[in-house]
Amino acid sequence: MTATLLAVAHGTRDPEGVRTVRALLDEVRRLRPGLRVRLAWLGLVEPSVPQLLASLSGPVVAVPLLLASGYHVRSDLPALLADADPGTVRVTPALGPSPLLADALAARLAEAGRPPGASPVVLAATGSSDPRARADTAESARLLSAHLNAPVTVSFASGEGPTPAEAIAAWHRSGHPNVSLATHLLAPGHFAHTLTQTPARWTSAPLGTHPSVAELVLRRYDEAAVLQTEANGPAWAH
């Protein structure tokens, strides 16, 4: 039986953020007709992960719609899946870091008006106290830098800095007036709104329904499906 793709999103009070995540999964379905794709949320929006799992039968591949491997991926999601049959559910890594995300970030920057060239970019993530999540964000910045052939520094909208405004100001002080802000977020919400208030010359929209993001969701699913096949059946993974 083909495994269900269970996309697990962070959760938001912003209705546009909810619509964006649902539209992303519509793009996933368009790319893979016939694949059963379902959506659950870590909080704030229903169905929750346990609620959705209770309605499913057969093998499941849970794909976190998160851009780094922080506590949500390593702690919260496994806790929500603790009562699931370990023989039927596999959890994939987070979406990021990935060259496909760098492709989507670069496209969103171009849509925002950033011209090609070596002007600096600040990558703005939500922030995390988990050092592994921060390392993933740094790797995302490196991949974007390679994609753009331009310097990219990291900032965080919450938690330990630098904040986006501080990172942009550092570039201004070093003689770079035209700084771009790459929004390293999946969908609109509180953090995305705050990023529109910085002194960046160009600010990209969230990644949203960019085709590279949908492709990445399917890549994570396919990688887990291959592991299931090699193991001669579904398996649990944290």
Side-chain angles (χ1 to χ4, degrees), residues 74-127:
R74 298 181 180 275
S75 179
D76 294 345
L77 183 53
L80 291 171
L81 293 170
D83 292 333
D85 182 348
T88 62
V89 179
R90 178 178 289 277
V91 183
T92 78
L95 297 182
S98 168
L100 286 170
L101 287 184
D103 177 70
L105 285 165
R108 293 293 186 236
L109 284 169
E111 291 169 1
R114 180 187 183 272
S119 61
V121 175
V122 171
L123 183 76
T126 55

Side-chain angles (χ1 to χ4, degrees), residues 105 107-112 180-184 192 195-196 202-206:
L105 285 165
R108 293 293 186 236
L109 284 169
E111 291 169 1
S180 303
L181 189 68
T183 300
H184 195 242
L195 297 182
T196 65
W202 302 282
T203 299
S204 66

Side-chain angles (χ1 to χ4, degrees), residues 82-165:
D83 292 333
D85 182 348
T88 62
V89 179
R90 178 178 289 277
V91 183
T92 78
L95 297 182
S98 168
L100 286 170
L101 287 184
D103 177 70
L105 285 165
R108 293 293 186 236
L109 284 169
E111 291 169 1
R114 180 187 183 272
S119 61
V121 175
V122 171
L123 183 76
T126 55
S128 174
S129 59
D130 188 324
R132 293 164 293 193
R134 296 175 71 87
D136 281 352
T137 302
E139 176 62 9
S140 290
R142 187 194 68 78
L143 291 169
L144 181 60
S145 177
H147 187 97
L148 295 173
N149 194 27
V152 179
T153 55
V154 172
S155 68
F156 299 97
S158 66
E160 185 179 347
T163 67

